[in-house]
Amino acid sequence: MISLLRRLAPLMSAVRLKALSLGAVAALAGCSANPIYTTTGVVLSGYSKTEATPYVMQMSDPQMACSLGEGVDPLLYSFSRVTDAPYSTGSLLMLLAANCMEYRAWEAELAYLRADFAGRVPAAKDAREEAKRLNARVAERRYLAFQRAMAAYEFDPAAEPLACPFLFNEQDELTFLLGLLTGMQAIVNDANSGARADIPKNIAPQAERAARCVDNEKWGGLPNAIRALVWLLLPDTRPALSPDPWAVLENSSELGVQAGIRASMAVEAVAAETFGRPEVLADVIARFAEAEGRIEVWDEYRLVDEVAAGVIRFSSDKYWTRHYGYRTPQSFFGRMTPERNTENVETMSLDGLL
């Protein structure tokens, strides 16, 4: 009997080893995830954060960038089923995807204004309804981008006392800051949709507090611009002895020109439209056009400045379409009237030719 066991021992060890190996593979694979999928997800997430994001941020074509967000986000985020969710990259991708939807909402808004100018009531009503539906979808995407940005840095914007997140580099700072801005934009888009997206308004005071965690001057006044926008939306959040929100917005816009990233100007224009300040809107559009000749755009984050330029141009196009029935002609950008300015035009004297 003992000799029989001795002969079978090597065979039993091989069987146990094979069983253990199969068990290990099964454990790695889990119930449904293929280990190759997990590895691919980790590699894609890492590549997107370290290579793709810096590349996209340098782009000068917001339309192409937003298409990237709509196309890549579902693919990249599908790997969150087999590995950790790529929150920081996912926040930027959803932000870009929201921009795509907003561009469609802009076109619907301009179609409404053209129809209204021409007195075509049914067409105006149809375009207005489409713009509201699209704004609701923009608000939903932007709220998701805000949530991902907060999750990326394990930041609880409602915590008391406020505990700023660890932001290890400039890309982290900008991702966090854009997440706060996107949350504020979600509230504005929801208002434009007729509150169809039901975005919680309590993220506004949370964004106001969190904006203090990022250097204001380094990021072109954007943190303070976000705070000033919140003060206008919710006056109770404005600290005692704080400056007038409109003065803060104008100062932030100038800081944006100096830093080479004019996102603050876009915030000022949106605030002017939201709160019915046409004189401020005309002024910020004029200042944006004037800055074209003196700004040195921050090359690493050129896309942010380009997106801001799109917001300003849309504000101008809305004004022109509402008052004249067409978009802003290129040579008139920065002005609110089609009348030509002849004050500084030099005229040739014909006396010597006669």
Side-chain angles (χ1 to χ4, degrees), residues 117 316 319-342:
F117 184 84
S316 177
Y319 181 90
W320 276 76
T321 305
R322 181 180 295 113
H323 290 85
Y324 310 115
Y326 51 86
R327 302 168 198 247
T328 318
Q330 177 62 31
S331 58
F332 286 82
F333 180 60
R335 297 165 52 190
M336 310 303 268
T337 171
E339 295 177 4
R340 293 193 175 278
N341 184 0
T342 57

Side-chain angles (χ1 to χ4, degrees), residues 97-129:
N99 286 351
C100 260
M101 191 61 68
E102 185 168 59
Y103 297 154
R104 295 171 197 136
W106 287 357
E107 290 304 316
E109 180 75 12
L110 292 176
Y112 156 71
L113 292 172
R114 281 194 299 273
D116 186 57
F117 184 84
R120 295 183 285 114
V121 176
K125 286 185 175 180
D126 182 71
R128 185 64 170 162
E129 176 61 23

Side-chain angles (χ1 to χ4, degrees), residues 11-23:
L11 181 60
M12 292 176 66
S13 297
V15 171
R16 280 200 299 270
L17 181 61
K18 186 174 182 180
L20 286 173
S21 299
L22 291 173

